[in-house]
Amino acid sequence: MRATYERLQQLFIRKGREAMAQISAGQEFSQHLIRSIEKLRKSLPNMRVTHHDRQSEVFSVDELEETEGYAGLEWGRYVDPVYKIQSVFSVYWVEFPPIPDEQYWPQWHGAIVRHNPSMRRKK
């Protein structure tokens, strides 16, 4: 348990530093999110609705050249704020208190789980 706790603590420190570096560099969104959005934008067809008749539910759609499509679209305002680097950083800004010695742990009166040695895998 202690080893898992300490590894998680190191992960939070590393991820917090990465997020802080991205904030310092002036990035609003993570590089992973930006790469994913750009990849999806390249695969989407470039279309524009030129006419819509609400009564008969008829659409007129023109297909655009690649350069006319989503180049001017500001996608950042459509992304939920939870995906901003600042929100990610706030997740990793948690302090990990040290684990106290076992003698200070409260008494446990529940079930005790023990491993079955016959279920052990061979090395």
Side-chain angles (χ1 to χ4, degrees):
M1 183 174 119
R2 184 179 295 272
T4 302
Y5 183 85
E6 290 172 359
R7 281 194 302 249
L8 186 60
Q9 180 183 22
Q10 293 301 317
L11 173 71
F12 267 57
I13 291 170
R14 189 180 78 239
K15 289 294 197 176
R17 286 179 181 162
E18 288 174 10
M20 182 55 107
Q22 290 176 353
I23 290 170
S24 298
Q27 296 176 357
E28 188 176 7
F29 299 103
S30 73
Q31 291 299 313
H32 178 72
L33 176 68
I34 293 171
R35 280 193 304 269
S36 298
I37 288 174
E38 292 301 323
K39 181 180 175 184
L40 288 172
R41 283 175 65 174
K42 290 177 184 175
S43 67
L44 292 174
N46 293 323
M47 297 183 176
R48 175 176 42 211
V49 176
T50 55
H51 176 74
H52 171 243
D53 184 359
R54 199 183 283 191
Q55 297 291 330
S56 60
E57 297 182 5
V58 174
F59 290 89
S60 296
V61 179
D62 290 342
E63 198 160 338
L64 304 172
E65 297 293 321
E66 279 189 39
T67 56
E68 294 180 83
Y70 301 104
L73 180 65
E74 179 56 45
W75 55 265
R77 63 184 175 164
Y78 300 108
V79 178
D80 194 285
V82 74
Y83 296 107
K84 292 186 176 188
I85 291 289
Q86 190 63 42
S87 295
V88 172
F89 179 70
S90 66
V91 169
Y92 296 113
W93 192 250
V94 176
E95 288 192 28
F96 279 75
I99 298 176
D101 290 332
E102 285 188 43
Q103 63 184 352
Y104 297 114
W105 293 5
Q107 281 276 334
W108 175 254
H109 300 289
I112 296 176
V113 180
R114 294 199 169 106
H115 73 282
N116 183 350
S118 65
M119 300 290 290
R120 191 172 218 173
R121 294 183 187 156
K122 294 180 181 178
K123 289 186 179 181

